[in-house]
């Protein structure tokens, strides 16, 4: 038997293969360099425009003339070349792909490291750089070294205020920042079936923080229901006995709320250890934790209260935002004193809005707490949405009540 | 393919945010990346990179896929990077833009002359020699062409 990566790439681990890509996407950050490089390839044409997506999410809306000019060029190109295009306000590239644009068994590449998010659907999804992407635009293909796989074996179920994010930070901590370099992760075991699609997306999203190339779930009834809501009929993927390089076991019932302390994603401590740490900003959103399930958890905690620290909430997509409006969650979030940003991911990388000042401390639901990432001299702690919500209300890090 | 230069030593797990910060990405002006490279690690470092070989700890280039990180190093004059391991996206990006990488565990002393010889598959300092994990034939071809764009043009 073979791993899911081997099944999708159609070759055993260790082999180099050339494969046609089913979907490929860039955002406004990486698309500009991709376009430059594609031009340098010498007017090669676009191999499969219907496979290509240009999705603006990093600096939206544009913050200055330079950005506006770069976006103007990329926007015009995407429209003229007939690529799928999502303008400012549409949402984060990975989330837009997760809304019915990536299917089990597909090969997906994105010019962004968190493309691994889409492994949640049983797609082989991985991040590439601008030059690799330019070659995909021109040829429709790219090369892969079929990865060995690491099994992340899950049992039990998450309970109370413990979230998939706590489990994700816990597995990143166990593997370390390079523990899965050149490998794929496969999430397996009886603990998987009870995980919602949003939870799976969070778990796959963090795979790259272990150095992994991809983080895959086998498509099942949850995948089928989610993709069914976008009009896709998908078959479950069968898991057989396969050779994992190593397996790590996690009982979800034993996971506790954790925080990753700066400047490493793999350095975690129980929230209770950090209780009382004063905050200057709370940020809820990103491709990790900006989905409907996340906004719902957040609103349930802040409803009827006031946040004591400046709190920024950025829905992951227009669809997530619209859903929050329809269900009244957005009003709860606003009434609690939060600032709501348009769908996008600028604050996570200190690129646009929500930048943290020197000496300030931010609790974020994002995926990276590298030095200076959200602003020079600022410190980033990473947590679940529930921890972020409870801490926003308290003005300091605190554990969410069950 | 042989490169040499004075070593610039760096610790493990250097992420691409540290190589070039997110606030400098929105431009096509590559000279800005050369000036701002490693600004958040050590603002004086960019001045020492021209002609140098970086000898880093494991997992060099982790984090964001931003190709500007590899481009920034090349624009700053870095001749090559030696590290026990690289983050995979950075690895592909560097080869694709023609920045030589050598996966090898070489102890580093700042300023010491180091050599990367990808033809014979070894790196050495004044006193030590270490084998390099071999590149695939295609990656070596891309690298020796000067990058994917040049490789692509040659192939046409």
């Amino acid at each position: 038997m073979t791993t899911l990566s081997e099944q999708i790439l159609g070759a055993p681990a260790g082999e180099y293969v050339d494969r046609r890509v089913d979907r490929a996407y860039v955002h406004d950050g990486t698309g500009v360099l991709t376009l430059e490089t594609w031009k340098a390839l010498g007017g090669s044409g676009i191999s499969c425009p219907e496979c290509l997506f240009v999705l603006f999410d990093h600096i939206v809306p544009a913050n200055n003339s330079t950005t506006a000019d770069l976006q103007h060029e990329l926007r015009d190109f995407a429209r003229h070349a007939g690529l799928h295009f999502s303008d400012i306000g549409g949402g984060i590239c990975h989330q837009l792909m997760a809304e019915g644009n990536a299917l089990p068994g597909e090969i997906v590449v994105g010019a962004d490291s968190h493309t691994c998010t889409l492994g949640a659907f049983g797609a082989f999804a991985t991040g590439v750089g601008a030059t690799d992407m330019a070659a995909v635009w021109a040829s429709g293909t790219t090369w892969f070294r079929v990865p060995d796989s690491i099994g992340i074996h899950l049992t039990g179920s998450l309970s109370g205020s413990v979230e998939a994010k706590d489990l994700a930070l816990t597995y990143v901590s166990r593997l370390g920042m390079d523990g899965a370099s050149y490998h794929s992760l496969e999430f397996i075991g009886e603990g998987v079936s009870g995980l919602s699609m949003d939870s799976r997306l969070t778990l796959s999203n963090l795979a790259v923080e272990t150095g992994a190339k991809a983080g895959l779930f086998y498509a099942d009834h949850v995948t089928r229901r989610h993709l069914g809501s976008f009009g896709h009929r998908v078959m479950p993927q069968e898991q057989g006995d396969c050779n994992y390089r190593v397996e790590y076991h996690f009982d979800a019932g034993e996971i506790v709320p954790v925080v990753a302390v700066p400047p490493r994603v793999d350095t975690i401590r129980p929230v209770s250890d950090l209780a009382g740490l004063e905050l200057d900003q709370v940020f809820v959103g990103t491709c990790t934790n900006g989905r409907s399930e996340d906004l719902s958890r957040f609103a349930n905690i802040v409803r009827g209260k006031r946040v004591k620290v400046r709190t920024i909430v950025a829905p992951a997509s227009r669809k997530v935002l619209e859903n929050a409006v329809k269900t009244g969650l957005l009003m709860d979030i606003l009434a609690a004193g939060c600032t709501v940003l348009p769908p996008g991911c600028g604050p996570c990388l200190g690129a646009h809005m929500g930048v943290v000042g020197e000496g300030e401390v931010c609790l974020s639901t994002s995926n990276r707490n590298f030095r200076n990432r959200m602003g020079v001299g600022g410190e980033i702690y990473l947590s679940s949405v529930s921890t972020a919500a409870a801490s926003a209300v308290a003005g300091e890090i605190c554990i969410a009540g069950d | 393919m042989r490169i040499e230069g004075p070593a610039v030593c760096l610790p493990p797990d250097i992420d691409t945010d540290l190589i070039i910060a997110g606030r400098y990405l929105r431009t096509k002006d590559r000279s800005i990346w050369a000036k701002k490279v490693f600004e958040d690690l050590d603002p004086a470092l960019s001045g020492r990179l021209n002609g140098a070989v970086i000898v880093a700890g494991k997992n060099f280039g982790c984090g964001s896929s931003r190709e500007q990180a590899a481009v920034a190093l090349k624009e700053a004059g870095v001749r090559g990077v030696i590290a026990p391991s690289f983050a995979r996206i950075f690895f592909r990006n560097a080869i694709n833009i023609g920045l030589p990488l050598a996966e090898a565990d070489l102890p580093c002393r700042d300023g010491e002359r180091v050599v990367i010889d990808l033809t014979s598959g070894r790196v050495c300092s004044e006193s030590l020699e270490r084998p390099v994990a071999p590149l695939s034939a295609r990656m070596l071809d891309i690298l020796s062409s000067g990058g994917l764009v040049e490789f692509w043009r040659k192939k046409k």
Side-chain angles (χ1 to χ4, degrees):
Chain A
M1 295 299 285
T2 53
T3 65
L4 190 49
S5 293
E6 290 171 322
Q7 283 180 40
I8 297 171
L9 292 173
E15 265 190 34
Y16 287 86
V17 295
D18 287 287
R19 288 292 177 264
R20 182 151 282 282
V21 166
D22 295 294
R23 326 247 182 176
Y25 61 101
V26 299
H27 51 67
D28 51 310
T30 53
V32 172
L33 196 49
T34 301
L35 180 55
E36 284 290 289
T37 309
W38 175 81
K39 285 179 186 165
L41 290 175
S44 300
I46 294 284
S47 169
C48 176
E50 63 276 19
C51 308
L52 305 182
F53 297 72
V54 176
L55 312 165
F56 282 12
D57 61 6
H58 269 52
I59 301 190
V60 290
N63 60 343
N64 60 33
S65 298
T66 308
T67 308
D69 289 345
L70 294 172
Q71 292 188 1
H72 182 189
E73 184 185 357
L74 187 56
R75 180 185 290 114
D76 275 359
F77 172 80
R79 286 182 173 152
H80 287 129
L83 315 191
H84 297 279
F85 176 65
S86 168
D87 211 327
I88 62 152
I92 302 174
C93 59
H94 311 300
Q95 177 60 20
L96 291 172
M97 297 306 289
E99 292 173 359
N101 290 310
L103 300 175
E106 289 188 338
I107 296 174
V108 181
V109 294
D112 188 278
S113 60
H114 289 106
T115 304
C116 55
T117 308
L118 301 165
F121 299 108
F124 186 85
T126 193
V128 298
T131 298
D132 270 329
M133 183 57 76
V136 170
W137 280 12
S139 70
T141 66
T142 193
W143 65 269
F144 298 95
R145 182 181 175 279
V146 182
D148 282 303
S149 295
I150 291 173
I152 303 292
H153 193 278
L154 305 176
T155 53
S157 53
L158 299 164
S159 62
S161 63
V162 181
E163 295 177 21
K165 178 63 167 294
D166 296 302
L167 175 55
L169 290 172
T170 303
Y171 88 67
V172 170
S173 163
R174 181 91 64 89
L175 272 69
M177 269 169 68
D178 63 343
S181 283
Y182 308 125
H183 288 69
S184 282
L185 303 183
E186 291 197 2
F187 297 93
I188 52 171
E190 65 265 35
V192 165
S193 68
L195 290 170
S196 68
M197 207 65 235
D198 282 3
S199 292
R200 294 177 190 195
L201 287 160
T202 300
L203 286 162
S204 290
N205 177 266
L206 270 279
V208 71
E209 308 312 329
T210 66
K213 190 178 223 170
L216 297 101
F217 283 82
Y218 287 79
D220 64 2
H221 62 285
V222 175
T223 327
R224 175 185 281 200
R225 192 172 343 114
H226 175 91
L227 290 171
S229 74
F230 294 96
H232 298 294
R233 291 172 57 126
V234 305
M235 297 299 288
Q237 291 164 317
E238 292 294 325
Q239 193 209 340
D241 287 331
C242 52
N243 290 325
Y244 292 115
R245 176 61 66 85
V246 56
E247 269 188 55
Y248 293 88
H249 291 258
F250 296 89
D251 179 347
E254 288 181 1
I255 300 295
V256 299
V258 292
V259 169
V261 299
R264 294 178 65 99
V265 189
D266 64 356
T267 310
I268 61 168
R269 289 172 66 187
V271 174
S272 48
D273 278 13
L274 292 164
L277 184 86
E278 270 189 51
L279 299 170
D280 297 290
Q281 176 171 300
V282 171
F283 173 49
V284 175
T286 78
C287 56
T288 311
N289 276 130
R291 286 176 272 277
S292 289
E293 191 175 288
D294 300 313
L295 295 200
S296 173
R297 279 177 182 271
F298 183 79
N300 286 341
I301 291 173
V302 302
R303 184 176 298 119
K305 304 185 177 105
R306 291 287 295 181
V307 294
K308 282 210 184 103
V309 56
R310 68 174 194 264
T311 299
I312 294 169
V313 179
S317 73
R318 184 186 300 278
K319 191 175 161 67
V320 171
L321 175 58
E322 283 175 357
N323 192 41
V325 171
K326 278 186 214 148
T327 53
L329 296 177
L330 191 71
M331 198 55 227
D332 294 331
I333 292 168
L334 288 170
C338 304
T339 299
V340 176
L341 298 189
C345 56
C348 171
L349 66 157
H352 192 32
M353 299 193 283
V355 171
V356 179
E358 183 159 8
E360 288 196 313
V361 176
C362 179
L363 182 65
S364 170
T365 65
S366 65
N367 42 46
R368 287 187 181 135
N369 54 357
F370 299 157
R371 197 198 312 182
N372 292 352
R373 181 166 164 95
M374 286 183 74
V376 177
E379 293 211 312
I380 311 161
Y381 291 75
L382 305 176
S383 78
S384 72
V385 173
S386 296
T387 299
S391 303
V393 170
E396 57 187 38
I397 289 186
C398 79
I399 200 156
D402 284 347
Chain B
M1 187 167 211
R2 192 173 184 281
I3 299 120
E4 65 175 289
V8 169
C9 306
L10 293 177
D13 298 315
I14 292 289
D15 61 72
T16 52
D17 276 72
L18 275 182
I19 300 175
I20 187 74
R23 59 189 178 276
Y24 298 125
L25 297 181
R26 306 305 163 240
T27 176
K28 289 188 196 171
D29 181 356
R30 293 168 181 236
S31 67
I32 288 178
W33 302 333
K35 265 187 252 147
K36 300 296 183 184
V37 67
F38 291 126
E39 184 180 77
D40 289 349
L41 185 67
D42 172 5
L45 197 53
S46 61
R48 295 205 286 131
L49 295 179
N50 194 19
V53 173
I54 289 175
V55 183
K58 71 183 174 71
N59 200 30
F60 186 83
C62 60
S64 159
S65 72
R66 62 188 68 163
E67 193 163 296
Q68 290 92 336
V71 174
L73 296 176
K74 195 178 175 194
E75 291 289 321
V78 171
R79 291 196 174 146
V81 186
I82 301 171
S85 64
F86 293 91
R88 53 163 292 279
I89 304 177
F90 177 84
F91 194 87
R92 282 181 78 135
N93 288 346
I95 302 294
N96 281 341
I97 64 143
L99 175 68
L101 301 184
E103 211 173 53
D105 196 352
L106 187 72
C108 183
R109 276 196 312 192
D110 257 315
E112 189 180 25
R113 197 121 200 110
V114 290
V115 176
I116 300 175
D117 191 333
L118 290 174
T119 315
S120 68
R122 67 195 178 96
V123 292
C124 55
S125 60
E126 282 155 18
S127 54
L128 286 166
E129 189 177 306
R130 291 279 191 274
V132 176
L135 290 174
S136 73
R138 174 161 29 188
M139 286 190 110
L140 200 53
D141 212 356
I142 292 170
L143 190 55
S144 50
S145 305
L148 189 71
V149 170
E150 292 75 11
F151 172 77
W152 185 279
R153 285 184 179 156
K154 210 171 68 178
K155 215 173 54 171
K156 264 192 176 173

